[in-house]
Amino acid sequence: MASQEWNYLELGNIRSTLIRQEDTILFQLIERAQFKRNLAIYQDDAEFLKGTGISGSYVRNLLQETENIHAKARRYTSPDEKPFTSRSQLPDPVLPPLVVPEEMKYLKSIDVNLNSKIYELYISTILPWVTKEGDDGQYGSSSVCDIQALQALSKRIHYGTFVAESKFRSQPEEYTKLIKAGDRQGIMDLLTNKEVEEKVIKRVQNKATAYGQEITDETSYPQGKPRGDQLLQVNPETMGKIYREIIIPLTKEVEVDYLLQRA
Amino acid sequence: MASQEWNYLELGNIRSTLIRQEDTILFQLIERAQFKRNLAIYQDDAEFLKGTGISGSYVRNLLQETENIHAKARRYTSPDEKPFTSRSQLPDPVLPPLVVPEEMKYLKSIDVNLNSKIYELYISTILPWVTKEGDDGQYGSSSVCDIQALQALSKRIHYGTFVAESKFRSQPEEYTKLIKAGDRQGIMDLLTNKEVEEKVIKRVQNKATAYGQEITDETSYPQGKPRGDQLLQVNPETMGKIYREIIIPLTKEVEVDYLLQRA
């Protein structure tokens, strides 16, 4: 998703991409939090789907239709974009492939995809944290927000492959030894940096605080007044939990899975 | 896009919806500004489309495909959602219609749609303001951002019908007289509130300032350091211009068009 002259594996570039993605995730969750939980849209063959010809869940269907379009726009040829729909069910890109920079060779060749887990945790855990219980009938709007939130989460988590490749290059011998030994825990320990994790969590909490304040015509700075209902849901505590319990662990799982296949 | 108990015409509710939409527009433009202008995606039958079977422009095609999905999700049955694609070319909703609250009767029956103008101004004016010249090959990503930005702009501008209906109800006699006389300028004068317009412009400029600052792990408040390239583009000056020259005039045009048909 960045320009072609960009070096994807330069640590400063990875960092600035991850920081941008935090904003996207926060923003998409704030958008989703306008609507209630609307559980029916996640249920297979829900009552409201009767007579529509849709089988499975409504969100799944809309997600696949969206991914069909994005696949044709070659979204899933980019190494940081993984589809939720099985690749075999998606159409081929209509556009000719982008030139893959040399440093992306490994990234392209290894297809780690944790989207089924991301989907599962989004519905079971993130949604109850960021939405109020109940049904407001806004099924279309909620689903469109869900799809954008899921795509943002997936992109952030799978950016772990870039992080892993970059870490590998900075310590090739250490990683190669662990990879050859199939030492999952050893790889996990080597790539874990608790201090950086805490900084990320603190930063997203600060973003949730800053974006969650009311901005008026009188001042350019936050005033300490929460802006509305959905911002009480997507608050610093929630954002911290989402990163600590879901995004960071899954990113590290992506990193380990990637490295084990890299050897 | 709000819950069913909500009274869409209550002024406080209209105001809070408009304020939310400012965030969405700002955010979608920041997302688009990551990528270069990429003019080819707006050109009919551009070189890169040869052999793809796509006729017309790439963005138009992707927009129509997206709207097909959203039409099935009944997006365009909501009075604040207008398609860019002609309604006759869109599929029917798959979901049963939502119950229309009583106060929305007029809003549903009058279909004002300025999207062709919005599309035109977005490409000719907004894009050059928020993107850097050039081509980075990120056609899919740029188009997905364009579509989300166009939808956000369209929704904000067509919310003018809600604003107009609410204004009509607060001064029915004055408006009815002008509407019966077909007095476009008189209606425009009556609904114009320069003071409110300036407040809106000031508020979006303040949002662009606040969201454009770097947020770190050390502080919950903006530090005065711009965050990155795309935030130098989508800056307070640009946001002010977009509102002053495009969004506010088009919203008022929607209001007048709506009222002239309301009689």
Side-chain angles (χ1 to χ4, degrees):
Chain A
M1 296 282 280
S3 83
Q4 281 174 322
E5 307 91 336
W6 184 271
N7 182 330
Y8 288 90
L9 295 178
E10 205 265 291
L11 262 180
N13 290 343
I14 290 180
R15 185 169 181 273
S16 75
T17 303
L18 293 176
I19 288 175
R20 268 198 54 72
Q21 291 176 355
E22 291 162 5
D23 300 350
T24 309
I25 291 170
L26 175 59
F27 192 80
Q28 300 298 0
L29 293 176
I30 290 172
E31 294 274 310
R32 177 60 181 88
Q34 294 172 80
F35 310 109
K36 292 197 175 161
R37 186 89 32 94
N38 293 329
L39 271 180
I41 61 179
Y42 312 103
Q43 284 160 358
D44 284 353
D45 311 309
E47 189 65 26
F48 79 100
L49 294 176
K50 271 192 184 155
T52 63
I54 292 175
S55 70
S57 81
Y58 184 63
V59 165
R60 266 279 173 203
N61 271 271
L62 214 62
L63 185 56
Q64 178 159 1
E65 289 197 83
T66 307
E67 291 196 324
N68 280 340
I69 294 179
H70 291 181
K72 287 193 277 178
R74 70 183 172 199
R75 180 172 190 142
Y76 306 109
T77 64
S78 182
D80 53 340
E81 297 279 5
K82 310 291 179 181
F84 287 82
T85 309
S86 148
R87 283 187 191 267
S88 64
Q89 289 181 271
L90 290 173
D92 288 330
V94 169
L95 301 186
L98 277 174
V99 179
V100 178
E102 188 53 33
E103 81 266 17
M104 309 271 274
K105 212 176 56 178
Y106 281 110
L107 285 159
K108 277 284 287 185
S109 66
I110 299 173
D111 194 18
V112 176
N113 188 332
L114 293 192
N115 276 342
S116 61
K117 204 176 260 187
I118 293 169
Y119 186 84
E120 167 66 30
L121 285 168
Y122 178 76
I123 293 166
S124 69
T125 310
I126 296 179
L127 269 181
W129 283 343
V130 300
T131 59
K132 280 194 208 149
E133 271 183 75
D135 191 308
D136 56 22
Q138 299 291 323
Y139 295 165
S141 304
S142 302
S143 304
V144 168
C145 292
D146 283 331
I147 288 162
Q148 289 171 13
L150 282 164
Q151 288 180 327
L153 288 164
S154 170
K155 192 182 168 73
R156 167 63 176 75
I157 290 164
H158 291 102
Y159 221 75
T161 58
F162 289 67
V163 177
E165 180 64 23
S166 174
K167 286 178 179 169
F168 178 91
R169 289 181 185 212
S170 68
Q171 290 179 278
E173 280 161 40
E174 292 91 327
Y175 278 109
T176 302
K177 210 176 112 195
L178 294 164
I179 291 165
K180 283 199 174 138
D183 183 354
R184 225 186 144 82
Q185 189 58 49
I187 298 171
M188 184 63 95
D189 292 342
L190 185 56
L191 58 75
T192 296
N193 185 332
K194 275 284 165 207
E195 200 187 324
V196 168
E197 290 177 16
E198 289 307 318
K199 280 195 176 190
V200 169
I201 291 165
K202 190 80 191 106
R203 188 173 59 229
V204 298
Q205 287 177 322
N206 289 343
K207 284 184 184 178
T209 304
Y211 296 176
Q213 307 300 316
E214 186 166 35
I215 292 168
T216 70
D217 49 310
E218 277 139 31
T219 168
S220 54
Y221 288 95
Q223 291 305 292
K225 254 168 71 187
R227 203 158 40 160
D229 248 14
Q230 72 269 19
L231 290 154
L232 298 175
Q233 306 276 342
V234 189
N235 55 30
E237 194 199 334
T238 312
M239 279 306 283
K241 276 199 297 188
I242 291 171
Y243 269 77
R244 190 184 301 278
E245 297 178 29
I246 294 171
I247 294 176
I248 291 174
L250 289 181
T251 303
K252 288 161 70 176
E253 194 173 330
V254 164
E255 291 178 50
V256 176
D257 285 357
Y258 171 83
L259 288 167
L260 283 170
Q261 289 180 58
R262 193 193 186 283
Chain B
M1 297 278 283
S3 84
Q4 281 175 323
E5 307 91 338
W6 185 272
N7 182 329
Y8 289 89
L9 295 178
E10 204 263 294
L11 262 181
N13 290 344
I14 290 180
R15 184 167 180 275
S16 74
T17 303
L18 293 177
I19 288 174
R20 268 198 53 72
Q21 291 176 355
E22 291 161 6
D23 300 350
T24 309
I25 290 169
L26 175 59
F27 192 79
Q28 301 298 1
L29 293 176
I30 290 171
E31 294 275 311
R32 177 61 181 86
Q34 293 173 80
F35 310 109
K36 292 198 175 162
R37 187 87 33 92
N38 293 329
L39 272 179
I41 61 179
Y42 312 103
Q43 283 160 359
D44 284 354
D45 310 309
E47 189 64 25
F48 79 102
L49 295 175
K50 269 192 185 155
T52 63
I54 292 175
S55 69
S57 81
Y58 183 64
V59 165
R60 266 280 172 203
N61 271 270
L62 214 62
L63 184 56
Q64 177 158 3
E65 289 196 83
T66 307
E67 291 196 325
N68 279 342
I69 295 179
H70 292 180
K72 287 193 278 179
R74 71 184 170 199
R75 179 172 191 143
Y76 306 110
T77 64
S78 183
D80 54 340
E81 296 279 6
K82 310 292 178 180
F84 287 82
T85 309
S86 147
R87 283 186 191 267
S88 64
Q89 290 181 270
L90 291 173
D92 288 331
V94 169
L95 302 183
L98 277 174
V99 179
V100 178
E102 187 53 33
E103 80 266 17
M104 308 270 275
K105 210 176 56 181
Y106 281 109
L107 285 160
K108 278 284 287 183
S109 66
I110 299 172
D111 193 17
V112 176
N113 188 332
L114 293 192
N115 276 342
S116 60
K117 203 176 261 188
I118 293 169
Y119 186 84
E120 166 67 31
L121 285 168
Y122 178 76
I123 293 165
S124 68
T125 309
I126 296 178
L127 269 181
W129 284 342
V130 301
T131 59
K132 281 194 207 149
E133 271 182 74
D135 190 309
D136 56 21
Q138 298 291 324
Y139 295 166
S141 304
S142 302
S143 304
V144 168
C145 292
D146 283 329
I147 288 163
Q148 290 171 13
L150 282 165
Q151 288 180 326
L153 287 164
S154 171
K155 192 180 168 74
R156 168 63 177 76
I157 289 165
H158 291 104
Y159 222 77
T161 58
F162 289 68
V163 177
E165 180 64 23
S166 174
K167 285 177 180 171
F168 179 90
R169 288 179 186 213
S170 68
Q171 290 179 279
E173 281 161 41
E174 291 90 328
Y175 278 109
T176 304
K177 211 175 110 196
L178 293 164
I179 291 165
K180 282 200 175 137
D183 184 354
R184 227 186 142 81
Q185 189 57 50
I187 298 170
M188 184 62 95
D189 292 342
L190 185 56
L191 58 77
T192 296
N193 186 332
K194 276 283 165 207
E195 200 187 326
V196 169
E197 290 177 17
E198 289 306 318
K199 280 195 176 191
V200 169
I201 292 165
K202 190 81 192 106
R203 188 173 59 229
V204 297
Q205 288 177 322
N206 289 343
K207 284 183 183 178
T209 303
Y211 294 176
Q213 307 300 315
E214 186 166 35
I215 293 168
T216 70
D217 49 310
E218 276 138 31
T219 166
S220 55
Y221 288 96
Q223 290 305 292
K225 254 168 69 187
R227 203 158 37 162
D229 248 16
Q230 72 269 19
L231 289 154
L232 299 176
Q233 306 278 342
V234 189
N235 54 31
E237 194 200 333
T238 311
M239 280 306 282
K241 276 200 297 188
I242 292 171
Y243 269 78
R244 191 184 300 280
E245 296 178 29
I246 294 173
I247 295 176
I248 292 175
L250 289 182
T251 305
K252 287 161 72 176
E253 194 173 330
V254 163
E255 291 180 49
V256 176
D257 285 357
Y258 172 83
L259 288 168
L260 283 169
Q261 288 180 59
R262 192 193 187 284

